[in-house]
Amino acid sequence: MKQWLPLVFFVVLIGFFSKGLFLNPREVPSPLIGQPAPTFNLPVVGSADKAFSPAELKGQVWLLNVWAPWCVSCRQEHKLLMALKQSGSAPPIVGLNWKDRNREAQQLLVRTGNPYVAVPDDPSGRAGIDWGVTGTPETYLIDRAGVVRLKHVGPIDPTVWENKFLPKLKELGS
């Protein structure tokens, strides 16, 4: 039996490696799926006297889009987010301004338009850590009960919107 142990180990190892070849590296599993959305209470960009908390949107389906002014992919995604807002075909979008150390978010949104209903400011990245953010952009879909239903890593483009977000939005009755 001992003589077959290395062969069995090798076959199992090959099986794991083979499975890995077919995984999408952009699909990062999130332990938040099916869990209540993490809470935070952060100041709003451009309005230090105002704050935003996810509890404000309880009872609504909404998106949390984690972005940063220094993020090139976020700027590509921004055009689609603006189009979704203008068409009214998206639920409310909250833009978590993540690790904006140079304080550029407000000027960028004035220049390019603001697709967000609120832009909470997370310069330390602490709220992002609670959400499991690994980089920007990342977008989460939260249901009416405040439960995370979807996480997308990377920019949203029309194909991602139609194939990933719209079916889930229809499922949630939004």
Side-chain angles (χ1 to χ4, degrees):
M1 188 65 166
K2 280 185 177 180
Q3 66 190 20
W4 294 105
L5 196 58
L7 179 62
V8 170
F9 178 74
F10 180 73
V11 169
V12 169
L13 193 61
I14 292 298
F16 282 123
F17 286 137
S18 297
K19 180 171 173 48
L21 290 174
F22 297 101
L23 296 177
N24 183 349
R26 291 200 123 347
E27 293 295 326
V28 178
S30 174
L32 290 179
I33 304 299
Q35 300 297 315
T39 60
F40 58 79
N41 191 16
L42 294 171
V44 173
V45 168
S47 301
D49 59 327
K50 292 182 183 176
F52 175 82
S53 169
E56 293 177 38
L57 293 174
K58 191 105 179 198
Q60 297 181 57
V61 173
W62 59 284
L63 299 173
L64 178 74
N65 178 250
V66 182
W67 70 287
W70 44 263
C71 168
V72 175
S73 297
C74 299
R75 291 183 188 214
Q76 294 168 343
E77 174 184 71
H78 187 80
K79 293 174 187 158
L80 178 70
L81 297 180
M82 287 298 296
L84 291 172
K85 179 183 179 183
Q86 290 167 351
S87 72
S89 62
I93 305 170
V94 173
L96 182 65
N97 181 34
W98 193 60
K99 295 187 177 183
D100 179 12
R101 289 182 177 60
N102 294 331
R103 319 307 313 142
E104 299 172 305
Q106 185 175 4
Q107 297 88 353
L108 182 65
L109 292 173
V110 167
R111 261 192 342 267
T112 61
N114 186 349
Y116 306 115
V117 296
V119 184
D121 194 17
D122 185 22
S124 71
R126 171 64 52 205
I129 289 170
D130 293 343
W131 280 79
V133 172
T134 57
T136 55
E138 288 186 11
T139 305
Y140 299 82
L141 174 63
I142 298 89
D143 71 11
R144 286 179 174 79
V147 174
V148 177
R149 295 296 172 192
L150 178 73
K151 176 183 180 180
H152 176 73
V153 176
I156 299 172
D157 60 26
T159 303
V160 168
W161 181 253
E162 289 175 25
N163 295 332
K164 194 170 188 179
F165 283 90
L166 283 181
K168 194 57 117 170
L169 286 166
K170 286 178 185 170
E171 180 184 313
L172 296 173
S174 179

